[in-house]
Amino acid sequence: MAEIRAVPLAHKFPWSPSSDVGRSCILVSMGGKNIMLDCGMHMGFNDERRFPDFSYITDSGRSLTEHLDCVIISHFHLDHCGALPYFSEMCGYDGPIFMTHPTKAICPILLEDYRKITVDRKGEQNFFTSQMIKDCMKKVVTVNLHQAVKVDPDLEIKAYYAGHVLGAAMFQVKVHHQSIVYTIGVCYSRSAWIDKCRPDLLITESTYATTIRDSKRCRERDFLKKISECMERDGKVSKQHTSHPCPVDSLTASGPDPSVCSGKSSGAVYLTRDILASSPHSPHSHSYTLHTRERMNLLHPIYFSAGLTEKANHYYKLFISWTNQNIKNTFVQRNMFEFKHIKPFDRSYIDNPGPMVVFATPGMLHAGLSLQIFKKWAEDEKNMLIMPGYCVAGTVGHKILSGHKKIEIDKKMVTVRLSVQYMSFSAHADAKGIMQLIRQADPANVMLVHGEAAKMDFLRQKIMQEFGVHCYMPANGEMVSIATKPMISVDVSRSLLKRTQEQIHSPLAKKLCPVRGSATMSGLLVMRNEVRSLNTPEN
Amino acid sequence: MRMNHTTIMLDCSLDLPVLLNFLPLPLVYSPKLSGLPRWQCKDPSIAVDLPEDIARLFRENVGHVFIESLPLFRLPETGLVDLSTVDALLLSNCFSALALPFLIEKYGFSGKIFATKPTVTFTKQLMEELSHYIYRAPPTDHSAQWKNDSLWSSLPDGTLKESSDFHNWKELYTMEGIQKAISRIQPISYSETIDLFHHVKVTALSSGFCLGSCNWIIETEYNKVAYISSSSTFTTHPCPMERARLKSADILIMSGLTNAPSANPDTMLAELCTRMAQTLKNGGNVLIPCYPTGVLYDLLECLKAYLDSANLSNVPVYFISPVAKSSLSFSNIFAEWLCDAKKTKVYLPEQPFPHAEFIKSGRLRHFPNIHGDLGSVYQTPCVVFTGHPSLRCGDSVHFMEAWGGSSKNAVIFTEPDFEYLHALAPYQPLHMKAYYFPIDPRLNFFVANKLLNEFAPRCLVTADSYLPSAAHSQKENVCLQPEMQYYGLTRGRAVTIPLDGKFQKIMLDPELASKLLPQEIFPGVSVTSVLGLLSSRNNQHTLAPLPPHHRPHTVGKLLWGELSIEAFVQALRDQHGIVDVVIEGTEEAKTLNILGGKATVLISPEKTTIRDCADDKLRAILRDLVFRLLVQV
């Protein structure tokens, strides 16, 4: 009996809790092929533990290139691709790496950005270099959505739109009659569509396993209310500067929502924070829209952290065909990623008087501009911090969200006085999305990764109950093995098939075969080399 | 094409050259065009009967006759097959899809439609532009009274009258029809395999002709048809032609070869640049009638480089079309459909086409029409790209009239679809210079022949006009030279090509399969009888184990192999002590007379028969021996 084995790779040191949301890196073996799904880095660690433990593979005595047939990267977030240069240039993997075009475009920029923070600023050693990122990218083969890519004659991969961030994709991997679907980062909507491909195994993330998030509009309104309240409070109380750092994920792009734009007054400010979010409730959207208006007291400056953001906007303009249908349809008249009201942020603005809104990276406040601003603004209670998504254990962001009032940053204690708001802009799949996806793809088995144990277990029960399929949630390093029953393809002679089918429609059908709509077929199977044919005995 | 119970339509072009039969449509009243002389029918028998209101619809100039009416369009053949029964339509590129709205509005086409994403976008733009040109200032006279058989046949030779089906020519679709048609198309990617009812699978492969252009593979489990539409092996802006998967098809359909087989696009481009520079330096303007997409992007790229090098960088370039802006914008967002050099540009990130920069620097300006903002920036000398390349509608009509009087100006034709002298005919006499530098990157016969050898299909299907005939001597570069069997196609005639269709696929349930015990009957050949439950759903067949209580009574074991007479006789002797065996008969059929007539065994390659045996015990011995020496399955 054939089987599929899947194992989420553990960290270099078995230190962390088993199902930590740290990063993704899953090894799958099926039909004699070995595939690695994602190659993520753990952002909560500053040492070797941030990389997956590849010795799991090399311990067998084979090199990574010998063992693995291909590596598939689902999207550009570092917890899914951060270890790639380490894996290919420092551990020596030389085989093909598959990702979509936008991922290939943006991934090296994030890697380089992270490398700069880690090596240049923190002075860490034993990290990959800029050249390694470039060399690694040379090994990347790009795939288009729905393109059936033959990695070799037996191994086929196919990408589907996932709507998580720009270029995010679900992947179907097929070896002969066995198949799996890998759907990290799927934000289920009408456009994040997969056909009823009935995989033997569906591997999905479960970061927000128990959340069923409210609508996009509600979240938008909520977000704006929080900002404007803070602004108003400030206006009445004092003229001291009130500032609102809003950490955003590694990359940010913005643009107005076309549906809101039309007919609204020129004073309106629209921000679309694309990479952050996509909503399961708005088809084709992986953009998150905020619109604020003059009456909401948002005459104050709005900043985006410069550099990366600007570059990101360029990518959005060029890869507009990968975005929201509305944005695509109207981009000729008005490019959604060009705006007047948002200015690039400069570090020297940190101490500017008066209220301001700053969108800064990275989202987990583990380094960079967002952390720098936080240090400056944390101790004034008029300020507000809006956290947009999940933070990995060990990061400053995680401590803030856990309610720590005193946080040590760079060996200095910072007292957290500003108000902290958590808003999920993140486009990770929620429970509803995962259930819809399972219904759509109709897998025989489900495996949950990338989530917290308790929430995952809840979802696991729900999946088993509703769909009656096996659902696994392995710890890092723990293997899941699934027995599959692949159908065997045989040539049947048309005459035998026709003769048998005629029985179905004959008046004697009931007598000939007890199962309605079926017929008893009697033939001779001839196996010659690799060819199997089913014939009438006479032939 | 009909194959394995599926009817597939390959492309859906509009015959645009018939536009040349009509009088150009100026935006405003044109004294020159409306003042062209009436055509006098030379055939007195017809001329006498001709009512005045029909005669006034025909005008004549320099040997060509033009119909003064709303242009009508010639559709694909609709008589051979009921179009409402077609299962799927495959669109190869934006230039071969322009008849789609007719199909849907007039012929009840209800099948699936597939095209790549860029093809969908640019098809829409081409349709919109054409519809806009035809309807923005339609002639007051909509009548189709000119549809008169005897009149048609008496038209002079300078008219495109070989298309005698003019009764079926139709008025162009409107924006509404376009919208409806475009929304029906299902966008796909290259190498995306689409399953049509589990009967056939179709796959689009890059053809290298224009953005999103493709060739198709149409295959069943056992047969493969490759359809080569407009393709190019030149290195231009699109993804290169994918060749590997076109190899060794059972049938190769080849169409869309170049319309300018003797012109090398690179040479033509160089000539175009030289003439253009010459005209501009003399203070003249250059008109390039063109389609709003396709080769245009390459032209703009070359032009920019050439103007810079020729010290003409201050000359403005105008691109005028209702879809100019969207064509230029969309071309820059289809990175994954471009050649590698352009594809990698977006990683920087930069716009893949230089025309973005050309626009930014203010040297290339695009306008939806001539009456808007163009007036405020217009300066001469300049280069104008505008449609329609037939010079029968669109803003090219305006520029022909405005610039035609001066010998300083020039019109340069790059589209070989329209015979340029015919296109110019209604504007004669002209002082403006006219050049014809066709730039058609599609396959010429020389390359097509090379590809035919490379792809080595079992047989070739192609247009009759591409095949060798008495007209063109058997030279390699004037026609196809197939070394395999071939079939010629002419409009309105079907060809039938036999394909091997002995088998279909069936899926054996693993449980059933695990119980099968094949026995080797020859080295490398094993057989076993299979009894199972067949179910067929959506044209997919599976064979499952029979329900446990169900045992059909009709099924027996089968014997397999060749009965060796020596072994049979030896076994009788060794195991049963029977030595009295007399062998008679021919090479093929032997008769074994056993124990002096107690039993007879007839052995032929087809069957073995035990006869004339009254002794049940002996019969059982003989039977068991036959069973033992053969393979039972």
Side-chain angles (χ1 to χ4, degrees):
Chain A
M1 191 77 13
E3 68 168 359
I4 295 177
R5 280 172 296 156
V7 52
L9 284 193
H11 302 283
K12 267 231 153 83
F13 304 99
W15 170 88
S16 60
S18 57
S19 294
D20 182 21
V21 198
R23 44 115 199 89
S24 289
C25 185
I26 303 159
L27 206 60
V28 174
S29 304
M30 55 197 285
K33 304 283 166 189
N34 298 305
I35 302 113
M36 193 158 95
L37 305 171
D38 277 335
C39 190
M41 164 156 61
H42 197 298
M43 314 292 277
F45 297 120
N46 288 321
D47 51 34
E48 275 185 273
R49 283 175 296 179
R50 66 182 134 222
F51 297 127
D53 184 8
F54 298 118
S55 63
Y56 185 91
I57 301 169
T58 46
D59 280 353
S60 67
R62 300 171 75 190
S63 74
L64 292 172
T65 314
E66 279 167 351
H67 183 78
L68 289 173
D69 292 279
C70 72
V71 174
I72 294 170
I73 302 295
S74 63
H75 65 285
F76 61 63
H77 278 161
L78 290 179
D79 51 348
H80 291 263
C81 69
L84 206 52
Y86 169 77
F87 175 64
S88 73
E89 304 312 309
M90 298 169 80
C91 300
Y93 172 71
D94 206 25
I97 302 166
F98 293 95
M99 54 175 81
T100 64
H101 286 273
T103 306
K104 186 182 175 181
I106 297 169
C107 174
I109 294 172
L110 294 188
L111 288 169
E112 178 59 25
D113 189 54
Y114 192 76
R115 191 200 63 78
K116 267 192 200 144
I117 291 173
T118 314
V119 179
D120 296 358
R121 246 176 253 155
K122 292 193 189 160
E124 279 182 41
Q125 305 288 313
N126 197 19
F127 205 75
F128 48 78
T129 63
S130 295
Q131 189 54 43
M132 285 177 181
I133 298 175
K134 282 181 195 142
D135 292 341
C136 169
M137 284 301 137
K138 283 181 195 147
K139 297 175 181 171
V140 170
V141 182
T142 53
V143 296
N144 287 343
L145 292 179
H146 300 168
Q147 177 191 359
V149 181
K150 289 261 183 208
V151 180
D152 62 43
D154 298 325
L155 174 60
E156 185 183 294
I157 63 172
K158 185 174 175 184
Y160 291 89
Y161 181 79
H164 173 49
V165 291
L166 189 70
M170 312 186 235
F171 280 89
Q172 183 193 36
V173 182
K174 258 204 275 195
V175 180
H176 297 297
H177 292 289
Q178 290 180 311
S179 70
I180 64 154
V181 168
Y182 176 57
T183 70
I184 289 288
V186 166
C187 175
Y188 197 84
S189 70
R190 201 150 46 89
S191 51
W193 164 92
I194 190 157
D195 44 314
K196 214 176 198 61
C197 52
R198 298 193 171 92
D200 296 297
L201 175 65
L202 180 127
I203 302 174
T204 178
E205 74 162 17
S206 47
T207 314
Y208 291 83
T210 52
T211 337
I212 294 185
R213 281 170 296 169
D214 42 355
S215 80
K216 175 184 162 190
R217 291 253 178 265
C218 289
R219 269 181 285 165
E220 259 173 49
R221 215 177 302 128
D222 204 23
F223 178 75
L224 293 172
K225 219 173 108 206
K226 281 175 184 170
I227 291 185
S228 84
E229 274 170 9
C230 188
M231 291 285 188
E232 266 166 38
R233 191 170 64 223
D234 173 59
K236 279 179 212 146
V237 179
S238 77
K239 292 262 189 248
Q240 283 173 359
H241 76 257
T242 306
S243 317
H244 315 267
C246 178
V248 296
D249 258 8
S250 32
L251 251 170
T252 313
S254 37
D257 180 341
S259 62
V260 188
C261 285
S262 50
K264 294 276 169 122
S265 71
S266 57
V269 177
Y270 304 96
L271 313 177
T272 309
R273 301 179 45 211
D274 252 67
I275 290 184
L276 286 184
S278 76
S279 155
H281 303 277
S282 83
H284 305 293
S285 164
H286 46 145
S287 64
Y288 208 86
T289 308
L290 322 166
H291 77 279
T292 58
R293 314 202 58 188
E294 282 179 339
R295 61 173 167 76
M296 294 182 95
N297 202 13
L298 278 191
L299 284 168
H300 307 295
I302 299 169
Y303 296 112
F304 266 63
S305 56
L308 261 186
T309 313
E310 242 173 306
K311 214 161 186 186
N313 281 340
H314 275 299
Y315 284 112
Y316 271 76
K317 281 183 224 165
L318 293 171
F319 287 111
I320 210 151
S321 59
W322 286 74
T323 64
N324 180 323
Q325 188 69 35
N326 281 335
I327 296 180
K328 202 184 336 182
N329 289 346
T330 52
F331 93 99
V332 174
Q333 272 63 46
R334 195 172 185 293
N335 197 317
M336 295 312 149
F337 299 103
E338 274 160 16
F339 14 65
K340 300 171 195 141
H341 302 280
I342 297 139
K343 294 165 214 155
F345 187 76
D346 188 279
R347 276 168 211 277
S348 65
Y349 298 171
I350 293 187
D351 294 323
N352 279 5
M356 64 177 106
V357 179
V358 179
F359 291 82
T361 57
M364 298 186 197
L365 285 102
H366 51 275
L369 185 64
S370 60
L371 187 63
Q372 197 183 354
I373 298 175
F374 176 76
K375 275 194 290 186
K376 284 272 185 185
W377 294 353
E379 305 204 346
D380 189 335
E381 72 276 4
K382 285 197 292 301
N383 294 342
M384 184 167 75
L385 169 72
I386 300 180
M387 300 293 293
Y390 189 84
C391 292
V392 165
T395 59
V396 173
H398 187 262
K399 286 175 193 156
I400 298 170
L401 281 179
S402 316
H404 292 228
K405 287 297 165 203
K406 296 233 175 230
I407 296 169
E408 192 191 313
I409 302 167
D410 297 344
K411 299 183 184 78
K412 243 182 79 186
M413 290 310 282
V414 175
T415 316
V416 183
R417 292 210 185 85
L418 48 52
S419 81
V420 175
Q421 303 283 345
Y422 176 75
M423 292 199 67
S424 167
F425 285 101
S426 176
H428 292 262
D430 61 11
K432 200 175 158 192
I434 293 172
M435 297 302 273
Q436 266 175 308
L437 190 75
I438 295 173
R439 191 167 301 122
Q440 184 90 65
D442 196 14
N445 297 279
V446 176
M447 175 172 149
L448 300 177
V449 290
H450 210 274
E452 285 161 87
K455 290 179 177 179
M456 280 164 81
D457 201 46
F458 172 82
L459 184 65
R460 178 171 165 262
Q461 298 300 335
K462 215 174 151 207
I463 290 170
M464 294 201 292
Q465 238 170 47
E466 193 162 334
F467 301 105
V469 298
H470 281 290
C471 186
Y472 304 86
M473 38 177 284
N476 285 340
E478 185 189 330
M479 182 187 289
V480 167
S481 176
I482 289 157
T484 60
K485 288 191 196 168
M487 294 289 234
I488 295 151
S489 167
V490 166
D491 294 336
V492 63
S493 82
R494 275 177 198 265
S495 56
L496 175 62
L497 187 65
K498 205 175 156 200
R499 198 166 75 182
T500 313
Q501 280 175 327
E502 274 164 6
Q503 285 178 32
I504 300 175
H505 307 292
S506 87
L508 294 170
K510 251 193 181 148
K511 218 176 148 192
L512 289 167
C513 179
V515 185
R516 250 193 90 173
S518 300
T520 311
M521 180 184 263
S522 164
L524 195 69
L525 182 71
V526 181
M527 296 162 74
R528 190 192 303 260
N529 304 324
E530 290 301 297
V531 184
R532 293 179 286 254
S533 63
L534 192 56
N535 239 311
T536 55
E538 305 92 271
N539 282 338
Chain B
M1 182 176 90
R2 195 171 281 151
M3 178 181 178
N4 205 20
H5 312 289
T6 313
T7 312
I8 298 174
M9 184 165 173
L10 306 171
D11 283 323
C12 183
S13 309
L14 209 51
D15 188 352
L16 289 174
V18 298
L19 262 178
L20 295 176
N21 283 340
F22 294 87
L23 204 64
L25 288 173
L27 192 55
V28 290
Y29 174 78
S30 156
K32 183 174 176 187
L33 291 170
S34 304
L36 290 181
R38 292 266 158 80
W39 170 58
Q40 300 298 323
C41 187
K42 304 286 183 301
D43 187 338
S45 66
I46 297 167
V48 169
D49 296 339
L50 212 57
E52 174 56 21
D53 58 341
I54 294 180
R56 73 177 170 78
L57 294 176
F58 291 84
R59 294 186 183 274
E60 186 177 11
N61 202 22
V62 291
H64 294 273
V65 173
F66 306 98
I67 307 162
E68 190 175 4
S69 140
L70 186 72
L72 300 185
F73 292 83
R74 189 175 180 225
L75 307 192
E77 180 61 46
T78 55
L80 271 182
V81 65
D82 177 358
L83 291 177
S84 67
T85 64
V86 173
D87 296 304
L89 166 61
L90 311 180
L91 299 174
S92 304
N93 59 71
C94 55
F95 297 98
S96 65
L98 293 185
L100 181 61
F102 289 113
L103 228 62
I104 287 168
E105 288 192 316
K106 302 227 185 322
Y107 294 95
F109 178 87
S110 59
K112 297 182 175 195
I113 308 168
F114 300 100
T116 64
K117 280 166 213 167
T119 300
V120 178
T121 300
F122 295 113
T123 298
K124 181 162 180 265
Q125 292 181 7
L126 282 174
M127 287 177 179
E128 282 177 352
E129 187 194 58
L130 188 60
S131 180
H132 184 86
Y133 284 158
I134 296 292
Y135 290 116
R136 69 177 179 179
T140 45
D141 195 344
H142 276 249
S143 85
Q145 288 167 336
W146 54 267
K147 290 182 176 180
N148 179 310
D149 284 308
S150 49
L151 194 66
W152 187 259
S153 54
S154 66
L155 287 175
D157 289 338
T159 320
L160 291 173
K161 57 175 186 172
E162 67 272 27
S163 39
S164 56
D165 60 343
F166 60 88
H167 284 289
N168 292 326
W169 294 8
K170 296 274 188 293
E171 273 181 31
L172 195 70
Y173 35 78
T174 59
M175 292 297 172
E176 199 192 340
I178 296 171
Q179 195 55 46
K180 224 159 92 191
I182 293 293
S183 67
R184 286 276 305 276
I185 308 177
Q186 183 179 325
I188 55 157
S189 292
Y190 288 147
S191 301
E192 175 177 352
T193 300
I194 294 143
D195 198 328
L196 290 177
F197 323 106
H198 297 296
H199 275 316
V200 294
K201 287 192 172 121
V202 296
T203 311
L205 303 175
S206 176
S207 80
F209 166 55
C210 65
L211 259 173
S213 70
C214 63
N215 294 321
W216 298 89
I217 297 288
I218 302 141
E219 57 196 333
T220 65
E221 294 282 355
Y222 304 95
N223 296 113
K224 173 164 143 185
V225 177
Y227 168 51
I228 297 186
S229 180
S230 303
S231 300
S232 177
T233 50
F234 282 96
T235 313
T236 56
H237 62 275
C239 248
M241 179 179 185
E242 190 180 334
R243 283 144 73 156
R245 289 186 64 185
L246 295 171
K247 283 179 190 164
S248 50
D250 294 290
I251 300 171
L252 179 84
I253 306 173
M254 192 174 242
S255 81
L257 301 188
T258 177
N259 274 334
S262 56
N264 177 312
D266 289 330
T267 322
M268 289 295 119
L269 190 61
E271 295 240 17
L272 180 145
C273 288
T274 319
R275 293 297 182 189
M276 181 185 65
Q278 209 174 56
T279 309
L280 291 171
K281 280 180 178 155
N282 289 336
N285 302 302
V286 177
L287 171 66
I288 304 181
C290 63
Y291 290 117
T293 183
V295 173
L296 173 77
Y297 305 132
D298 296 314
L299 281 180
L300 287 175
E301 190 167 349
C302 291
L303 203 72
K304 180 176 183 286
Y306 190 82
L307 289 177
D308 288 344
S309 68
N311 215 3
L312 288 163
S313 47
N314 54 341
V315 172
V317 178
Y318 302 116
F319 172 28
I320 303 159
S321 161
V323 297
K325 189 175 180 186
S326 57
S327 163
L328 294 175
S329 308
F330 271 105
S331 65
N332 265 325
I333 67 156
F334 286 122
E336 55 266 51
W337 308 85
L338 292 170
C339 62
D340 280 342
K342 294 214 173 339
K343 208 183 275 179
T344 46
K345 275 198 156 184
V346 295
Y347 298 143
L348 296 177
E350 275 172 25
Q351 308 241 33
F353 281 101
H355 58 236
E357 205 191 308
F358 206 13
I359 294 168
K360 220 172 174 185
S361 65
R363 289 167 54 197
L364 170 65
R365 316 196 64 146
H366 52 83
F367 300 94
N369 49 49
I370 48 169
H371 43 77
D373 298 332
L374 175 63
S376 59
V377 295
Y378 181 70
Q379 63 183 72
T380 54
C382 62
V383 181
V384 167
F385 287 89
T386 189
H388 189 275
S390 65
L391 301 187
R392 290 301 178 268
C393 58
D395 291 315
S396 60
V397 176
H398 168 83
F399 285 101
M400 282 308 295
E401 293 212 287
W403 292 350
S406 165
S407 59
K408 277 185 167 180
N409 300 328
V411 54
I412 306 179
F413 292 86
T414 58
E415 293 293 343
D417 292 4
F418 308 96
E419 211 267 297
Y420 84 105
L421 289 173
H422 195 175
L424 287 170
Y427 302 96
Q428 297 289 4
L430 276 173
H431 295 288
M432 176 185 210
K433 291 193 183 69
Y435 301 104
Y436 176 61
F437 301 130
I439 299 174
D440 189 339
R442 291 179 290 181
L443 305 178
N444 58 32
F445 289 112
F446 181 74
V447 179
N449 279 323
K450 277 209 325 208
L451 290 181
L452 274 185
N453 288 334
E454 180 184 325
F455 298 155
R458 228 186 62 212
C459 72
L460 169 76
V461 176
T462 192
D464 259 344
S465 55
Y466 290 161
L467 287 168
S469 71
H472 26 65
S473 56
Q474 307 279 312
K475 267 201 212 144
E476 210 182 22
N477 47 7
V478 296
C479 67
L480 291 180
Q481 301 275 310
E483 281 164 19
M484 63 291 300
Q485 191 185 10
Y486 62 85
Y487 299 84
L489 288 176
T490 36
R491 185 164 172 145
R493 209 186 66 215
V495 296
T496 306
I497 300 159
L499 281 177
D500 177 29
K502 236 173 97 185
F503 288 108
Q504 256 178 294
K505 281 283 172 208
I506 191 167
M507 303 306 283
L508 282 195
D509 184 282
E511 199 190 321
L512 176 68
S514 66
K515 294 204 176 104
L516 298 178
L517 298 168
Q519 302 183 53
E520 194 165 68
I521 50 163
F522 305 114
V525 181
S526 313
V527 296
T528 181
S529 60
V530 177
L531 189 61
L533 192 68
L534 169 79
S535 47
S536 305
R537 303 256 183 290
N538 298 327
N539 306 315
Q540 283 181 311
H541 315 288
T542 47
L543 201 58
L546 288 175
H549 53 275
H550 181 68
R551 283 273 136 236
H553 34 83
T554 51
V555 183
K557 286 264 178 181
L558 295 164
L559 291 174
W560 196 282
E562 199 176 342
L563 190 61
S564 149
I565 294 171
E566 291 82 60
F568 188 77
V569 172
Q570 196 187 345
L572 274 178
R573 187 183 60 221
D574 297 354
Q575 290 163 28
H576 303 283
I578 301 169
V579 283
D580 181 6
V581 178
V582 180
I583 306 169
E584 297 165 344
T586 59
E587 270 295 299
E588 272 87 57
K590 302 266 190 212
T591 309
L592 276 60
N593 200 329
I594 296 164
L595 294 173
K598 270 188 150 177
T600 312
V601 180
L602 299 170
I603 300 173
S604 72
E606 286 81 36
K607 60 180 176 185
T608 303
T609 317
I610 304 168
R611 220 171 55 187
D612 308 331
C613 184
D615 182 347
D616 281 350
K617 226 173 140 191
L618 179 60
R619 181 182 278 274
I621 286 170
L622 293 172
R623 185 196 62 201
D624 291 345
L625 200 53
V626 171
F627 280 8
R628 250 206 334 274
L629 291 171
L630 291 175
V631 180
Q632 266 191 73
V633 292

